[in-house]
């Protein structure tokens, strides 16, 4: 009997993403959410400026005391 949700993406995709992130090429994504199905070189080329300018792909909790 199978349990849980089956993986759609091959494990090699997650491994390749981790290698890319650990290479230092995407240090600007530090602290941001990404998806392994994204082409991170394309994300950098097309979206980097907007992501950094608007501080996108982050989850922030502000607490007023």
């Amino acid at each position: 009997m199978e349990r849980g949700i089956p993986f759609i993406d091959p494990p090699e995709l997650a491994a390749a993403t981790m290698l890319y992130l650990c290479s230092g090429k995407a240090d600007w994504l530090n602290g941001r959410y990404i998806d392994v199905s994204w082409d991170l070189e394309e994300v950098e080329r097309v979206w980097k400026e907007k992501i950094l300018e608007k501080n996108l792909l982050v989850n922030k909790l502000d607490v007023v005391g």
Side-chain angles (χ1 to χ4, degrees), residues 17-55:
T17 301
M18 290 299 296
L19 287 173
Y20 184 79
L21 293 173
C22 291
S23 74
K25 295 177 184 177
D27 284 350
W28 63 275
L29 284 170
N30 189 27
R32 299 179 192 282
Y33 289 94
I34 63 159
D35 189 294
V36 297
S37 66
W38 296 352
D39 178 343
L40 293 179
E41 290 177 343
E42 179 183 358
V43 170
E44 180 171 2
R45 189 176 62 254
V46 177
W47 295 102
K48 179 181 178 179
E49 188 176 314
K50 185 176 235 177
I51 290 169
L52 294 175
E53 177 185 315
K54 297 189 177 200
N55 201 26

